[in-house]
Amino acid sequence: MRSEGAAWPLRFAAAAGLAFLHLPLALIFLYAFTTEEKSFQFPPPGYTARWFGTAWFDRPDIWPPLVLSLKVALFATLLALIFGTLAAAALARARFFGKESLSLLFILPIALPGIITGIALRSAFDIMNLPFSTWTIVLGHATFCIVVVYNNVLARFRRTSASMIEASMDLGADGFQTFRYVVLPQIASALLAGGMLAFALSFDEVIVTTFTAGQQATLPIWMLGELLRPRQRPVTNVVAIFVIAVTFIPIIFAYYLTRDGEHIAGGGK
Amino acid sequence: MTPAVSFQRVSRHFGSMRAVDDVTLDIAPGEFFAMLGPSGSGKTTCLRLIAGFEQPTYGHIEIFGETAEGLPPYRRNVNTVFQDYALFPHMTVGENVAYGLMIKGMARADREVKAAAALAMVKLEGFGDRRPSQLSGGQRQRVALARALVNEPKVLLLDEPLGALDLKLREQMQEELKALQKQLGITFVFVTHDQGEALSMADRVAIFNAGRILQAGSPTDVYERPQSRFVADFVGSSNIMAPEFSAAHGGPGVWISLRPEKISVLKASDKPPVGHGSAEGLVAATHYQGSVTRIVINSGGARLTAAIPAGTSRFHEGDIVRFVWSKDSIVAMEHGE
């Protein structure tokens, strides 16, 4: 059998699969320009760019959820960078009893259904009498953001030679200098990639957020609510395009930064 | 004179494993000292004890009279050339070499001059702007050497530095290392499992096995006068014969070592000269090895190997021959082990 080029049924199936995955995305773009504001009818009766203006000038209700989402994503990513790196550094070289189980516990939040994480955190916050706030959402998101950073940094640590750290100390550098001049430059791109992914994950998360937000609405939750509104539906699509941009660009960046043989575990959530 | 490195009854245990077991050792300033042994014999752990990557479980270590235990690696005036070179891939070759100077706070211009001089010393002028990934194995090894030497260490530690190089390059580096050490007068401590390397480069060799030093001495000393079966066998190859064999062939009634190249091969009917021992046997195998031919005989259940200059062998498998050796070439070993 020829190795270059698959049989045509296979090609057709692949094309159909891709179309099924991505055509709905095209619809989001299409309906952002429709003149019909009450329902999504196909094909749109006319085209207009006015919804972009409406979203920017006449809809102050968009801004609080947007700011909240950005804030949450930022802090969750920051927490993830710190704790994910520390966890990866601790587990990269050490060998001890129960290491595999511990490593599994780190990764579990991303494998666990969001509902479980959500319920668990909500009951935990209840028990601790913690009122819902930005921080409860941040904590909820950090559970799976840490995993992304942890996986990326761990993979990088495994690829770097252990004797490099020894070489640095041998040449007179103390622990801090070694981290600053040798370890950090080695893991920098892994941190960037992990951080961007974490940010993107947090920015559009709905399930865990629903359980840990209380009455606050992040951008995805606001959008879910908007679908029930009778008017100005295309505004939601305008915001959706913005969300696509915010989450897609970091993911593309992360992909290019780490594509030299290192896969981004957990990138699919 | 204060030794460059002094181990006093040093042990390093990992759990129940005694990686280094009661080692006492003095290395003189300016000496080229080789630690030779099979893998897992404790030689690398000894090197790491000097570097400061390991701390002794028991015992006392001094480096130029200064107590070393408790000092972290970055407070010791010793530098290491690592087995995998451990170059920093995100820095240029020049930055790699200047790293130690940068940490010490030397001004950029000064350290660039020194780094360039160090690179010239290892014959890598003009390589400063390249990345380690653009260099060959032999070049990386020179960078690692320059990076260590630029700090003017009192002791340079080399952990199997030639292990990853091919034979030709290895021989060339051996000569260069030896010349460099003479020129700089720095104490070199060199870990290797290659006995040829140790013998040809070192002023003194310590042979390690199971965490202990079995014998330390000049290359001639350990080769010509091995004190134990392990040393005789590990340094070069040797016929190690049981006390019974020795006694039956006019030698002392202890374990003896007889180097293959000290044996000459005669026809079975030839008489051995006066003052010589001999054994008669059936040729079991002949191995042509370029410069020498090895002849293995079976003599009354004992196996002996002779190495004779290639091209002089007239014997074949199945021949009955006589192995002859001068009684002076027998080394009686004090330790049976």
Side-chain angles (χ1 to χ4, degrees), chain A residues 161 163-164 166-175 177-178 181-182 185-186, chain B residues 48 53 73-74 78-80 82 84 86 88-91 99-100 103 147 151:
Chain A
S161 138
S163 55
M164 228 181 286
E166 288 188 344
S168 170
M169 303 191 104
D170 187 70
L171 292 164
D174 58 27
Q177 288 168 318
T178 298
Y181 294 116
V182 175
Q186 293 289 315
Chain B
R48 294 172 60 82
F53 301 132
Y74 49 88
V78 301
N79 285 114
T80 309
F82 289 83
D84 62 358
F88 308 128
H90 58 287
M91 298 182 194
Y99 185 79
I103 294 293
R147 184 177 70 174
N151 302 292

Side-chain angles (χ1 to χ4, degrees), chain A:
Chain A
M1 213 182 127
R2 290 183 309 148
S3 58
E4 67 283 327
W8 73 264
L10 199 56
R11 289 179 182 215
F12 177 77
L18 278 175
F20 177 74
L21 283 174
H22 293 294
L23 277 183
L25 274 182
L27 282 182
I28 285 183
F29 283 87
L30 186 69
Y31 284 133
F33 295 96
T34 181
T35 47
E36 168 61 56
E37 62 171 302
K38 292 194 184 61
S39 66
F40 291 138
Q41 61 172 257
F42 190 85
Y47 298 94
T48 172
R50 72 181 155 104
W51 302 118
F52 286 84
T54 310
W56 185 266
F57 295 111
D58 305 334
R59 293 290 299 268
D61 59 315
I62 297 177
W63 299 104
L66 177 64
V67 170
L68 180 64
S69 271
L70 287 173
K71 212 160 98 183
V72 166
L74 203 70
F75 283 115
T77 304
L78 213 62
L79 276 182
L81 285 176
I82 297 169
F83 290 108
T85 306
L86 289 177
L91 287 179
R93 308 245 189 264
R95 260 184 285 167
F96 54 88
F97 176 75
K99 178 183 168 179
E100 293 308 315
S101 322
L102 194 60
S103 170
L104 183 70
L105 284 180
F106 275 118
I107 301 179
L108 207 54
I110 212 161
L112 224 54
I115 304 182
I116 307 293
T117 312
I119 291 180
L121 281 170
R122 190 185 182 105
S123 0
F125 292 150
D126 267 354
I127 291 169
M128 291 186 285
N129 278 324
L130 222 59
F132 294 120
S133 68
T134 311
W135 301 107
T136 50
I137 313 177
V138 167
L139 284 180
H141 287 194
T143 56
F144 53 80
C145 287
I146 286 177
V147 183
V148 181
V149 175
Y150 168 81
N151 272 335
N152 272 284
V153 176
L154 190 69
R156 182 60 54 84
F157 271 133
R158 289 205 173 124
R159 287 197 314 174
T160 41
S161 138
S163 55
M164 228 181 286
I165 290 168
E166 288 188 344
S168 170
M169 303 191 104
D170 187 70
L171 292 164
D174 58 27
F176 178 76
Q177 288 168 318
T178 298
F179 182 77
R180 161 87 180 68
Y181 294 116
V182 175
V183 178
L184 199 56
Q186 293 289 315
I187 63 170
S189 64
L191 281 180
L192 196 58
M196 283 177 177
L197 265 175
F199 189 91
L201 280 185
S202 163
F203 191 75
D204 67 357
E205 213 283 340
V206 174
I207 304 170
V208 175
T209 315
T210 316
F211 284 91
T212 53
Q215 295 304 310
Q216 314 162 84
T218 58
L219 199 59
I221 290 181
W222 173 86
M223 286 172 75
L224 216 51
E226 277 308 286
L227 290 181
L228 305 173
R229 278 171 63 105
R231 293 181 61 247
Q232 294 197 334
R233 283 194 158 193
V235 169
T236 319
N237 288 55
V238 170
V239 178
I241 290 176
F242 175 74
V243 172
I244 291 177
V246 167
T247 53
F248 203 62
I249 293 169
I251 286 181
I252 297 276
F253 257 114
Y255 171 73
Y256 276 103
L257 281 174
T258 54
R259 69 180 162 168
D260 45 329
E262 183 185 327
H263 77 290
I264 301 156
K269 178 156 184 170

